[in-house]
Amino acid sequence: MVHWIVVVSLGWLVSFLGQLPLGTMSMTSTQIAVEEGFRNAWKYSIGVALIEILYLRTVLSGVDWIMQHHLFFEILGWLTVAFFGTLGVISFISAVKQDGKKKPPLLNNRINRFWLGITMSALNPAQLPFWFVWSSYLLNIHALHSSALEYNLFTIGSGTGTVSGLVVYMYGGNWLITKMKTSSKTLNKVMGVIFVIAALAQLYRMIFEKV
């Protein structure tokens, strides 16, 4: 029983720490919280976490499955480059033209924020190598054992860890932006930089690395 709690805690810790570095997922949760409130930010976060859970379970199910579907992940990787690159350019253009009332480009739509979280998380195949490295390490040191029960517990922990990490950005980011009285225009510029960096990082992975 104690070991099961440790497994869940490890999943939570790894995923929570993985969400803390500044990135597209985390900053989008902040932007939604600022522009639309915490209700929509929570919907977005849950959508992100569900896809992360699916990616982690895919990794735990075996590298063979990933290799058999390599073309799918390669296409997904290039779509990520195009998606984040386009959002970056649009964010910069929007920041220049923004009149202070119009929503940022990523949120200027009627897409349910849960599905927005699903989409953005799905277009982030970098989660695969992240979880492959960590799950392999934990298996090697016997902190995680190769069993369906422990895999499921570890996955549950990771899902809650993802949401917890995004909550830090939702509430902490909203507080910081409110405190500093940061304008939507400035936030748009920050998001533009983050999206462009994410697109370039993914482009580097597609050219020089293999999933």
Side-chain angles (χ1 to χ4, degrees):
M1 184 66 179
V2 174
H3 179 68
W4 294 347
I5 295 174
V6 170
V7 170
V8 173
S9 299
L10 283 172
W12 179 89
L13 182 63
V14 172
S15 189
F16 176 74
L17 294 177
Q19 288 296 329
L20 291 184
L22 199 66
T24 54
M25 304 295 119
S26 53
M27 280 303 296
T28 299
S29 68
T30 297
Q31 195 170 32
I32 293 175
V34 170
E35 298 286 344
E36 300 180 348
F38 295 116
R39 182 185 178 88
N40 277 347
W42 271 99
K43 290 180 181 179
Y44 166 82
S45 299
I46 292 170
V48 170
L50 284 177
I51 294 299
E52 180 129 15
I53 285 172
L54 288 176
Y55 274 157
L56 172 56
R57 206 61 185 84
T58 298
V59 170
L60 293 174
S61 296
V63 184
D64 288 342
W65 190 94
I66 297 175
M67 295 307 296
Q68 290 170 9
H69 297 80
H70 179 73
L71 179 60
F72 169 76
F73 290 108
E74 188 170 349
I75 293 172
L76 192 61
W78 285 111
L79 284 175
T80 302
V81 174
F83 181 67
F84 284 161
T86 301
L87 281 177
V89 172
I90 292 175
S91 293
F92 281 122
I93 294 174
S94 179
V96 172
K97 296 182 178 180
Q98 194 165 356
D99 58 10
K101 297 179 180 179
K102 190 177 180 181
K103 280 188 175 183
L106 184 62
L107 306 182
N108 192 24
N109 55 69
R110 295 183 178 180
I111 299 174
N112 187 289
R113 298 319 177 204
F114 171 78
W115 293 110
L116 179 64
I118 290 278
T119 302
M120 289 193 64
S121 189
L123 288 170
N124 185 27
Q127 297 172 81
L128 288 168
F130 173 84
W131 283 116
F132 176 73
V133 169
W134 273 106
S135 59
S136 298
Y137 172 73
L138 293 173
L139 284 167
N140 285 335
I141 65 173
H142 305 294
L144 178 67
H145 298 107
S146 182
S147 74
L149 175 60
E150 291 201 18
Y151 283 170
N152 290 336
L153 291 173
F154 185 73
T155 302
I156 290 170
S158 74
T160 56
T162 296
V163 173
S164 299
L166 292 175
V167 163
V168 172
Y169 277 89
M170 285 160 50
Y171 290 92
N174 182 72
W175 175 83
L176 186 62
I177 288 170
T178 302
K179 190 79 173 177
M180 297 176 64
K181 297 181 180 179
T182 305
S183 67
S184 296
K185 190 170 185 176
T186 300
L187 189 56
N188 247 353
K189 290 178 181 178
V190 172
M191 291 301 297
V193 171
I194 291 173
F195 280 129
V196 169
I197 291 174
L200 292 175
Q202 182 60 28
L203 180 62
Y204 177 86
R205 293 188 196 102
M206 295 304 298
I207 296 175
F208 298 105
E209 298 177 5
K210 299 292 183 180
V211 175

mmCIF file of all heavy atoms in Angstrom, residues 14-63:
data_model
loop_
_atom_site.group_PDB
_atom_site.id
_atom_site.type_symbol
_atom_site.label_atom_id
_atom_site.label_comp_id
_atom_site.label_asym_id
_atom_site.label_seq_id
_atom_site.Cartn_x
_atom_site.Cartn_y
_atom_site.Cartn_z
ATOM 1 N N VAL A 14 6.989 14.194 -10.891
ATOM 2 C CA VAL A 14 7.652 14.327 -12.193
ATOM 3 C C VAL A 14 6.837 15.229 -13.120
ATOM 4 O O VAL A 14 7.373 16.126 -13.777
ATOM 5 C CB VAL A 14 7.860 12.943 -12.850
ATOM 6 C CG1 VAL A 14 8.359 13.098 -14.286
ATOM 7 C CG2 VAL A 14 8.857 12.111 -12.047
ATOM 8 N N SER A 15 5.524 15.011 -13.156
ATOM 9 C CA SER A 15 4.673 15.799 -14.045
ATOM 10 C C SER A 15 4.568 17.242 -13.572
ATOM 11 O O SER A 15 4.600 18.183 -14.380
ATOM 12 C CB SER A 15 3.282 15.170 -14.118
ATOM 13 O OG SER A 15 2.511 15.782 -15.119
ATOM 14 N N PHE A 16 4.454 17.438 -12.268
ATOM 15 C CA PHE A 16 4.361 18.791 -11.700
ATOM 16 C C PHE A 16 5.610 19.603 -12.026
ATOM 17 O O PHE A 16 5.522 20.729 -12.512
ATOM 18 C CB PHE A 16 4.175 18.705 -10.187
ATOM 19 C CG PHE A 16 4.170 20.044 -9.500
ATOM 20 C CD1 PHE A 16 3.070 20.891 -9.600
ATOM 21 C CD2 PHE A 16 5.264 20.451 -8.752
ATOM 22 C CE1 PHE A 16 3.066 22.136 -8.971
ATOM 23 C CE2 PHE A 16 5.271 21.688 -8.112
ATOM 24 C CZ PHE A 16 4.169 22.530 -8.227
ATOM 25 N N LEU A 17 6.777 19.011 -11.790
ATOM 26 C CA LEU A 17 8.036 19.709 -12.073
ATOM 27 C C LEU A 17 8.205 19.952 -13.568
ATOM 28 O O LEU A 17 8.774 20.957 -13.989
ATOM 29 C CB LEU A 17 9.219 18.906 -11.535
ATOM 30 C CG LEU A 17 9.292 18.778 -10.000
ATOM 31 C CD1 LEU A 17 10.474 17.896 -9.593
ATOM 32 C CD2 LEU A 17 9.400 20.149 -9.346
ATOM 33 N N GLY A 18 7.691 19.020 -14.386
ATOM 34 C CA GLY A 18 7.789 19.172 -15.833
ATOM 35 C C GLY A 18 6.949 20.323 -16.360
ATOM 36 O O GLY A 18 7.235 20.873 -17.430
ATOM 37 N N GLN A 19 5.908 20.705 -15.621
ATOM 38 C CA GLN A 19 5.041 21.805 -16.048
ATOM 39 C C GLN A 19 5.563 23.179 -15.625
ATOM 40 O O GLN A 19 5.143 24.193 -16.163
ATOM 41 C CB GLN A 19 3.629 21.625 -15.462
ATOM 42 C CG GLN A 19 2.821 20.514 -16.086
ATOM 43 C CD GLN A 19 2.520 20.749 -17.542
ATOM 44 O OE1 GLN A 19 2.379 21.879 -17.994
ATOM 45 N NE2 GLN A 19 2.423 19.682 -18.316
ATOM 46 N N LEU A 20 6.469 23.211 -14.650
ATOM 47 C CA LEU A 20 6.905 24.488 -14.091
ATOM 48 C C LEU A 20 7.725 25.373 -15.042
ATOM 49 O O LEU A 20 7.561 26.586 -15.029
ATOM 50 C CB LEU A 20 7.684 24.256 -12.793
ATOM 51 C CG LEU A 20 6.840 23.749 -11.612
ATOM 52 C CD1 LEU A 20 7.687 23.659 -10.359
ATOM 53 C CD2 LEU A 20 5.621 24.639 -11.379
ATOM 54 N N PRO A 21 8.629 24.798 -15.865
ATOM 55 C CA PRO A 21 9.355 25.674 -16.801
ATOM 56 C C PRO A 21 8.386 26.393 -17.746
ATOM 57 O O PRO A 21 7.377 25.825 -18.173
ATOM 58 C CB PRO A 21 10.250 24.697 -17.581
ATOM 59 C CG PRO A 21 10.418 23.537 -16.658
ATOM 60 C CD PRO A 21 9.108 23.412 -15.950
ATOM 61 N N LEU A 22 8.713 27.639 -18.064
ATOM 62 C CA LEU A 22 7.864 28.448 -18.944
ATOM 63 C C LEU A 22 7.671 27.747 -20.282
ATOM 64 O O LEU A 22 8.632 27.319 -20.909
ATOM 65 C CB LEU A 22 8.530 29.814 -19.162
ATOM 66 C CG LEU A 22 7.633 30.945 -19.658
ATOM 67 C CD1 LEU A 22 6.594 31.291 -18.601
ATOM 68 C CD2 LEU A 22 8.489 32.166 -19.973
ATOM 69 N N GLY A 23 6.419 27.614 -20.713
ATOM 70 C CA GLY A 23 6.138 26.943 -21.981
ATOM 71 C C GLY A 23 4.776 27.327 -22.527
ATOM 72 O O GLY A 23 4.029 28.111 -21.913
ATOM 73 N N THR A 24 4.425 26.784 -23.674
ATOM 74 C CA THR A 24 3.169 27.140 -24.339
ATOM 75 C C THR A 24 1.953 26.704 -23.525
ATOM 76 O O THR A 24 0.986 27.447 -23.397
ATOM 77 C CB THR A 24 3.098 26.503 -25.732
ATOM 78 O OG1 THR A 24 3.302 25.088 -25.617
ATOM 79 C CG2 THR A 24 4.148 27.089 -26.656
ATOM 80 N N MET A 25 1.999 25.475 -22.969
ATOM 81 C CA MET A 25 0.857 24.973 -22.211
ATOM 82 C C MET A 25 0.595 25.831 -20.974
ATOM 83 O O MET A 25 -0.536 26.232 -20.695
ATOM 84 C CB MET A 25 1.090 23.520 -21.763
ATOM 85 C CG MET A 25 1.390 22.532 -22.862
ATOM 86 S SD MET A 25 0.018 22.283 -23.997
ATOM 87 C CE MET A 25 0.806 22.827 -25.504
ATOM 88 N N SER A 26 1.676 26.092 -20.231
ATOM 89 C CA SER A 26 1.537 26.824 -18.972
ATOM 90 C C SER A 26 1.116 28.273 -19.188
ATOM 91 O O SER A 26 0.219 28.779 -18.505
ATOM 92 C CB SER A 26 2.844 26.756 -18.181
ATOM 93 O OG SER A 26 3.935 27.175 -18.978
ATOM 94 N N MET A 27 1.748 28.948 -20.145
ATOM 95 C CA MET A 27 1.415 30.356 -20.367
ATOM 96 C C MET A 27 0.017 30.524 -20.965
ATOM 97 O O MET A 27 -0.649 31.534 -20.725
ATOM 98 C CB MET A 27 2.454 31.005 -21.283
ATOM 99 C CG MET A 27 3.728 31.412 -20.563
ATOM 100 S SD MET A 27 3.426 32.537 -19.186
ATOM 101 C CE MET A 27 2.760 33.975 -20.027
ATOM 102 N N THR A 28 -0.433 29.531 -21.719
ATOM 103 C CA THR A 28 -1.804 29.598 -22.247
ATOM 104 C C THR A 28 -2.810 29.511 -21.104
ATOM 105 O O THR A 28 -3.845 30.188 -21.126
ATOM 106 C CB THR A 28 -2.055 28.474 -23.265
ATOM 107 O OG1 THR A 28 -1.152 28.615 -24.365
ATOM 108 C CG2 THR A 28 -3.488 28.532 -23.795
ATOM 109 N N SER A 29 -2.516 28.693 -20.095
ATOM 110 C CA SER A 29 -3.412 28.602 -18.937
ATOM 111 C C SER A 29 -3.479 29.950 -18.218
ATOM 112 O O SER A 29 -4.547 30.365 -17.753
ATOM 113 C CB SER A 29 -2.946 27.500 -17.977
ATOM 114 O OG SER A 29 -1.730 27.832 -17.352
ATOM 115 N N THR A 30 -2.340 30.636 -18.138
ATOM 116 C CA THR A 30 -2.323 31.969 -17.537
ATOM 117 C C THR A 30 -3.163 32.940 -18.358
ATOM 118 O O THR A 30 -3.969 33.714 -17.825
ATOM 119 C CB THR A 30 -0.877 32.513 -17.448
ATOM 120 O OG1 THR A 30 -0.111 31.672 -16.591
ATOM 121 C CG2 THR A 30 -0.852 33.929 -16.905
ATOM 122 N N GLN A 31 -2.979 32.904 -19.672
ATOM 123 C CA GLN A 31 -3.695 33.820 -20.562
ATOM 124 C C GLN A 31 -5.204 33.599 -20.478
ATOM 125 O O GLN A 31 -5.977 34.556 -20.447
ATOM 126 C CB GLN A 31 -3.208 33.638 -21.995
ATOM 127 C CG GLN A 31 -3.605 34.768 -22.923
ATOM 128 C CD GLN A 31 -2.918 34.681 -24.272
ATOM 129 O OE1 GLN A 31 -2.640 33.594 -24.764
ATOM 130 N NE2 GLN A 31 -2.642 35.822 -24.875
ATOM 131 N N ILE A 32 -5.625 32.344 -20.410
ATOM 132 C CA ILE A 32 -7.058 32.045 -20.303
ATOM 133 C C ILE A 32 -7.602 32.554 -18.973
ATOM 134 O O ILE A 32 -8.690 33.140 -18.905
ATOM 135 C CB ILE A 32 -7.317 30.535 -20.449
ATOM 136 C CG1 ILE A 32 -6.985 30.074 -21.877
ATOM 137 C CG2 ILE A 32 -8.774 30.206 -20.133
ATOM 138 C CD1 ILE A 32 -7.085 28.581 -22.080
ATOM 139 N N ALA A 33 -6.831 32.327 -17.888
ATOM 140 C CA ALA A 33 -7.265 32.789 -16.566
ATOM 141 C C ALA A 33 -7.426 34.306 -16.537
ATOM 142 O O ALA A 33 -8.388 34.837 -15.965
ATOM 143 C CB ALA A 33 -6.261 32.344 -15.504
ATOM 144 N N VAL A 34 -6.491 35.012 -17.182
ATOM 145 C CA VAL A 34 -6.525 36.480 -17.204
ATOM 146 C C VAL A 34 -7.677 36.989 -18.066
ATOM 147 O O VAL A 34 -8.417 37.896 -17.678
ATOM 148 C CB VAL A 34 -5.189 37.049 -17.721
ATOM 149 C CG1 VAL A 34 -5.297 38.546 -17.971
ATOM 150 C CG2 VAL A 34 -4.070 36.754 -16.735
ATOM 151 N N GLU A 35 -7.844 36.397 -19.259
ATOM 152 C CA GLU A 35 -8.818 36.912 -20.224
ATOM 153 C C GLU A 35 -10.239 36.399 -19.987
ATOM 154 O O GLU A 35 -11.207 37.113 -20.253
ATOM 155 C CB GLU A 35 -8.386 36.523 -21.652
ATOM 156 C CG GLU A 35 -7.052 37.109 -22.089
ATOM 157 C CD GLU A 35 -7.129 38.583 -22.404
ATOM 158 O OE1 GLU A 35 -8.247 39.098 -22.577
ATOM 159 O OE2 GLU A 35 -6.055 39.225 -22.461
ATOM 160 N N GLU A 36 -10.354 35.157 -19.480
ATOM 161 C CA GLU A 36 -11.678 34.536 -19.428
ATOM 162 C C GLU A 36 -12.082 34.012 -18.047
ATOM 163 O O GLU A 36 -13.211 33.560 -17.870
ATOM 164 C CB GLU A 36 -11.746 33.381 -20.441
ATOM 165 C CG GLU A 36 -11.501 33.813 -21.865
ATOM 166 C CD GLU A 36 -11.565 32.664 -22.856
ATOM 167 O OE1 GLU A 36 -11.580 31.488 -22.421
ATOM 168 O OE2 GLU A 36 -11.603 32.944 -24.070
ATOM 169 N N GLY A 37 -11.170 34.015 -17.107
ATOM 170 C CA GLY A 37 -11.502 33.540 -15.774
ATOM 171 C C GLY A 37 -11.022 32.119 -15.520
ATOM 172 O O GLY A 37 -10.600 31.402 -16.421
ATOM 173 N N PHE A 38 -11.104 31.716 -14.254
ATOM 174 C CA PHE A 38 -10.544 30.433 -13.839
ATOM 175 C C PHE A 38 -11.363 29.223 -14.291
ATOM 176 O O PHE A 38 -10.821 28.127 -14.443
ATOM 177 C CB PHE A 38 -10.389 30.409 -12.312
ATOM 178 C CG PHE A 38 -9.390 31.411 -11.806
ATOM 179 C CD1 PHE A 38 -9.782 32.454 -10.988
ATOM 180 C CD2 PHE A 38 -8.058 31.324 -12.172
ATOM 181 C CE1 PHE A 38 -8.859 33.389 -10.531
ATOM 182 C CE2 PHE A 38 -7.127 32.254 -11.728
ATOM 183 C CZ PHE A 38 -7.530 33.285 -10.901
ATOM 184 N N ARG A 39 -12.649 29.396 -14.492
ATOM 185 C CA ARG A 39 -13.491 28.275 -14.938
ATOM 186 C C ARG A 39 -12.979 27.706 -16.264
ATOM 187 O O ARG A 39 -12.786 26.499 -16.409
ATOM 188 C CB ARG A 39 -14.944 28.721 -15.068
ATOM 189 C CG ARG A 39 -15.904 27.612 -15.492
ATOM 190 C CD ARG A 39 -17.307 28.181 -15.707
ATOM 191 N NE ARG A 39 -18.235 27.154 -16.168
ATOM 192 C CZ ARG A 39 -18.939 26.359 -15.385
ATOM 193 N NH1 ARG A 39 -18.823 26.465 -14.069
ATOM 194 N NH2 ARG A 39 -19.759 25.451 -15.884
ATOM 195 N N ASN A 40 -12.769 28.597 -17.234
ATOM 196 C CA ASN A 40 -12.266 28.152 -18.534
ATOM 197 C C ASN A 40 -10.828 27.660 -18.439
ATOM 198 O O ASN A 40 -10.427 26.746 -19.168
ATOM 199 C CB ASN A 40 -12.364 29.280 -19.562
ATOM 200 C CG ASN A 40 -13.745 29.382 -20.181
ATOM 201 O OD1 ASN A 40 -14.562 28.477 -20.025
ATOM 202 N ND2 ASN A 40 -14.014 30.472 -20.867
ATOM 203 N N ALA A 41 -10.055 28.259 -17.552
ATOM 204 C CA ALA A 41 -8.669 27.820 -17.368
ATOM 205 C C ALA A 41 -8.618 26.401 -16.820
ATOM 206 O O ALA A 41 -7.759 25.597 -17.211
ATOM 207 C CB ALA A 41 -7.937 28.775 -16.428
ATOM 208 N N TRP A 42 -9.538 26.081 -15.916
ATOM 209 C CA TRP A 42 -9.618 24.711 -15.389
ATOM 210 C C TRP A 42 -10.019 23.717 -16.488
ATOM 211 O O TRP A 42 -9.471 22.613 -16.579
ATOM 212 C CB TRP A 42 -10.625 24.645 -14.244
ATOM 213 C CG TRP A 42 -10.012 24.943 -12.906
ATOM 214 C CD1 TRP A 42 -10.044 26.131 -12.237
ATOM 215 C CD2 TRP A 42 -9.270 24.044 -12.089
ATOM 216 N NE1 TRP A 42 -9.363 26.024 -11.054
ATOM 217 C CE2 TRP A 42 -8.877 24.757 -10.925
ATOM 218 C CE3 TRP A 42 -8.888 22.708 -12.219
ATOM 219 C CZ2 TRP A 42 -8.129 24.177 -9.904
ATOM 220 C CZ3 TRP A 42 -8.148 22.117 -11.200
ATOM 221 C CH2 TRP A 42 -7.770 22.851 -10.066
ATOM 222 N N LYS A 43 -10.962 24.103 -17.342
ATOM 223 C CA LYS A 43 -11.360 23.234 -18.463
ATOM 224 C C LYS A 43 -10.160 22.945 -19.356
ATOM 225 O O LYS A 43 -9.918 21.793 -19.759
ATOM 226 C CB LYS A 43 -12.466 23.909 -19.295
ATOM 227 C CG LYS A 43 -13.810 24.008 -18.615
ATOM 228 C CD LYS A 43 -14.807 24.694 -19.549
ATOM 229 C CE LYS A 43 -16.166 24.850 -18.897
ATOM 230 N NZ LYS A 43 -17.120 25.543 -19.809
ATOM 231 N N TYR A 44 -9.425 23.990 -19.673
ATOM 232 C CA TYR A 44 -8.226 23.851 -20.505
ATOM 233 C C TYR A 44 -7.215 22.907 -19.858
ATOM 234 O O TYR A 44 -6.681 22.004 -20.508
ATOM 235 C CB TYR A 44 -7.614 25.230 -20.728
ATOM 236 C CG TYR A 44 -6.210 25.208 -21.279
ATOM 237 C CD1 TYR A 44 -5.984 25.052 -22.650
ATOM 238 C CD2 TYR A 44 -5.107 25.334 -20.425
ATOM 239 C CE1 TYR A 44 -4.687 25.031 -23.146
ATOM 240 C CE2 TYR A 44 -3.817 25.310 -20.924
ATOM 241 C CZ TYR A 44 -3.611 25.157 -22.278
ATOM 242 O OH TYR A 44 -2.330 25.126 -22.775
ATOM 243 N N SER A 45 -6.959 23.089 -18.576
ATOM 244 C CA SER A 45 -5.968 22.296 -17.859
ATOM 245 C C SER A 45 -6.329 20.813 -17.834
ATOM 246 O O SER A 45 -5.470 19.948 -17.999
ATOM 247 C CB SER A 45 -5.811 22.812 -16.424
ATOM 248 O OG SER A 45 -5.374 24.148 -16.418
ATOM 249 N N ILE A 46 -7.598 20.525 -17.641
ATOM 250 C CA ILE A 46 -8.050 19.126 -17.625
ATOM 251 C C ILE A 46 -7.864 18.497 -19.003
ATOM 252 O O ILE A 46 -7.461 17.337 -19.130
ATOM 253 C CB ILE A 46 -9.520 19.043 -17.165
ATOM 254 C CG1 ILE A 46 -9.618 19.443 -15.675
ATOM 255 C CG2 ILE A 46 -10.075 17.634 -17.375
ATOM 256 C CD1 ILE A 46 -11.031 19.618 -15.176
ATOM 257 N N GLY A 47 -8.147 19.272 -20.058
ATOM 258 C CA GLY A 47 -7.927 18.769 -21.417
ATOM 259 C C GLY A 47 -6.469 18.456 -21.676
ATOM 260 O O GLY A 47 -6.137 17.406 -22.246
ATOM 261 N N VAL A 48 -5.578 19.342 -21.240
ATOM 262 C CA VAL A 48 -4.132 19.114 -21.380
ATOM 263 C C VAL A 48 -3.718 17.846 -20.650
ATOM 264 O O VAL A 48 -2.980 17.012 -21.172
ATOM 265 C CB VAL A 48 -3.337 20.325 -20.825
ATOM 266 C CG1 VAL A 48 -1.845 19.995 -20.752
ATOM 267 C CG2 VAL A 48 -3.554 21.549 -21.697
ATOM 268 N N ALA A 49 -4.214 17.687 -19.409
ATOM 269 C CA ALA A 49 -3.836 16.543 -18.585
ATOM 270 C C ALA A 49 -4.297 15.211 -19.189
ATOM 271 O O ALA A 49 -3.573 14.211 -19.140
ATOM 272 C CB ALA A 49 -4.412 16.702 -17.179
ATOM 273 N N LEU A 50 -5.484 15.196 -19.784
ATOM 274 C CA LEU A 50 -6.002 13.950 -20.370
ATOM 275 C C LEU A 50 -5.106 13.442 -21.496
ATOM 276 O O LEU A 50 -4.832 12.243 -21.602
ATOM 277 C CB LEU A 50 -7.428 14.162 -20.881
ATOM 278 C CG LEU A 50 -8.521 14.209 -19.817
ATOM 279 C CD1 LEU A 50 -9.875 14.491 -20.462
ATOM 280 C CD2 LEU A 50 -8.577 12.895 -19.029
ATOM 281 N N ILE A 51 -4.638 14.352 -22.354
ATOM 282 C CA ILE A 51 -3.756 13.935 -23.450
ATOM 283 C C ILE A 51 -2.399 13.499 -22.913
ATOM 284 O O ILE A 51 -1.810 12.533 -23.395
ATOM 285 C CB ILE A 51 -3.592 15.080 -24.471
ATOM 286 C CG1 ILE A 51 -4.927 15.360 -25.158
ATOM 287 C CG2 ILE A 51 -2.536 14.714 -25.521
ATOM 288 C CD1 ILE A 51 -5.487 14.178 -25.941
ATOM 289 N N GLU A 52 -1.909 14.201 -21.889
ATOM 290 C CA GLU A 52 -0.634 13.799 -21.289
ATOM 291 C C GLU A 52 -0.734 12.395 -20.715
ATOM 292 O O GLU A 52 0.191 11.590 -20.820
ATOM 293 C CB GLU A 52 -0.227 14.783 -20.189
ATOM 294 C CG GLU A 52 1.081 14.441 -19.520
ATOM 295 C CD GLU A 52 2.053 15.604 -19.475
ATOM 296 O OE1 GLU A 52 1.628 16.741 -19.708
ATOM 297 O OE2 GLU A 52 3.235 15.353 -19.204
ATOM 298 N N ILE A 53 -1.878 12.082 -20.114
ATOM 299 C CA ILE A 53 -2.120 10.740 -19.581
ATOM 300 C C ILE A 53 -2.069 9.706 -20.703
ATOM 301 O O ILE A 53 -1.462 8.641 -20.569
ATOM 302 C CB ILE A 53 -3.486 10.691 -18.859
ATOM 303 C CG1 ILE A 53 -3.381 11.390 -17.499
ATOM 304 C CG2 ILE A 53 -3.971 9.258 -18.685
ATOM 305 C CD1 ILE A 53 -4.712 11.563 -16.793
ATOM 306 N N LEU A 54 -2.704 10.029 -21.836
ATOM 307 C CA LEU A 54 -2.711 9.096 -22.978
ATOM 308 C C LEU A 54 -1.300 8.894 -23.529
ATOM 309 O O LEU A 54 -0.901 7.768 -23.850
ATOM 310 C CB LEU A 54 -3.634 9.631 -24.081
ATOM 311 C CG LEU A 54 -5.129 9.576 -23.802
ATOM 312 C CD1 LEU A 54 -5.907 10.239 -24.930
ATOM 313 C CD2 LEU A 54 -5.592 8.135 -23.623
ATOM 314 N N TYR A 55 -0.527 9.975 -23.637
ATOM 315 C CA TYR A 55 0.848 9.868 -24.125
ATOM 316 C C TYR A 55 1.699 9.034 -23.178
ATOM 317 O O TYR A 55 2.484 8.180 -23.614
ATOM 318 C CB TYR A 55 1.468 11.263 -24.286
ATOM 319 C CG TYR A 55 1.180 11.929 -25.616
ATOM 320 C CD1 TYR A 55 1.238 13.309 -25.758
ATOM 321 C CD2 TYR A 55 0.861 11.175 -26.744
ATOM 322 C CE1 TYR A 55 0.985 13.929 -26.980
ATOM 323 C CE2 TYR A 55 0.602 11.781 -27.965
ATOM 324 C CZ TYR A 55 0.670 13.161 -28.079
ATOM 325 O OH TYR A 55 0.415 13.756 -29.280
ATOM 326 N N LEU A 56 1.552 9.271 -21.878
ATOM 327 C CA LEU A 56 2.321 8.504 -20.899
ATOM 328 C C LEU A 56 1.958 7.032 -20.957
ATOM 329 O O LEU A 56 2.840 6.160 -20.937
ATOM 330 C CB LEU A 56 2.071 9.044 -19.487
ATOM 331 C CG LEU A 56 2.659 8.221 -18.335
ATOM 332 C CD1 LEU A 56 4.163 8.028 -18.509
ATOM 333 C CD2 LEU A 56 2.353 8.888 -16.999
ATOM 334 N N ARG A 57 0.668 6.749 -21.056
ATOM 335 C CA ARG A 57 0.232 5.337 -21.110
ATOM 336 C C ARG A 57 0.749 4.673 -22.384
ATOM 337 O O ARG A 57 1.056 3.475 -22.383
ATOM 338 C CB ARG A 57 -1.287 5.255 -21.048
ATOM 339 C CG ARG A 57 -1.803 3.940 -20.474
ATOM 340 C CD ARG A 57 -1.317 3.753 -19.043
ATOM 341 N NE ARG A 57 -1.709 2.453 -18.513
ATOM 342 C CZ ARG A 57 -1.056 1.319 -18.702
ATOM 343 N NH1 ARG A 57 0.046 1.313 -19.424
ATOM 344 N NH2 ARG A 57 -1.476 0.185 -18.172
ATOM 345 N N THR A 58 0.851 5.449 -23.457
ATOM 346 C CA THR A 58 1.415 4.932 -24.709
ATOM 347 C C THR A 58 2.875 4.550 -24.514
ATOM 348 O O THR A 58 3.316 3.477 -24.944
ATOM 349 C CB THR A 58 1.314 5.993 -25.829
ATOM 350 O OG1 THR A 58 -0.056 6.295 -26.070
ATOM 351 C CG2 THR A 58 1.953 5.486 -27.108
ATOM 352 N N VAL A 59 3.625 5.419 -23.841
ATOM 353 C CA VAL A 59 5.037 5.134 -23.569
ATOM 354 C C VAL A 59 5.174 3.900 -22.693
ATOM 355 O O VAL A 59 5.997 3.017 -22.959
ATOM 356 C CB VAL A 59 5.707 6.345 -22.881
ATOM 357 C CG1 VAL A 59 7.100 5.979 -22.372
ATOM 358 C CG2 VAL A 59 5.810 7.516 -23.858
ATOM 359 N N LEU A 60 4.356 3.813 -21.647
ATOM 360 C CA LEU A 60 4.430 2.675 -20.733
ATOM 361 C C LEU A 60 3.998 1.372 -21.397
ATOM 362 O O LEU A 60 4.415 0.292 -20.978
ATOM 363 C CB LEU A 60 3.556 2.938 -19.494
ATOM 364 C CG LEU A 60 4.033 4.070 -18.574
ATOM 365 C CD1 LEU A 60 3.012 4.324 -17.473
ATOM 366 C CD2 LEU A 60 5.391 3.737 -17.972
ATOM 367 N N SER A 61 3.178 1.483 -22.427
ATOM 368 C CA SER A 61 2.726 0.282 -23.144
ATOM 369 C C SER A 61 3.819 -0.319 -24.004
ATOM 370 O O SER A 61 3.710 -1.454 -24.456
ATOM 371 C CB SER A 61 1.512 0.610 -24.021
ATOM 372 O OG SER A 61 0.422 0.995 -23.217
ATOM 373 N N GLY A 62 4.865 0.472 -24.242
ATOM 374 C CA GLY A 62 5.991 -0.071 -24.994
ATOM 375 C C GLY A 62 6.438 0.785 -26.162
ATOM 376 O O GLY A 62 5.622 1.394 -26.849
ATOM 377 N N VAL A 63 7.739 0.817 -26.342
ATOM 378 C CA VAL A 63 8.332 1.588 -27.435
ATOM 379 C C VAL A 63 7.975 0.973 -28.780
ATOM 380 O O VAL A 63 7.928 1.672 -29.791
ATOM 381 C CB VAL A 63 9.864 1.645 -27.272
ATOM 382 C CG1 VAL A 63 10.482 2.515 -28.351
ATOM 383 C CG2 VAL A 63 10.243 2.196 -25.908
#
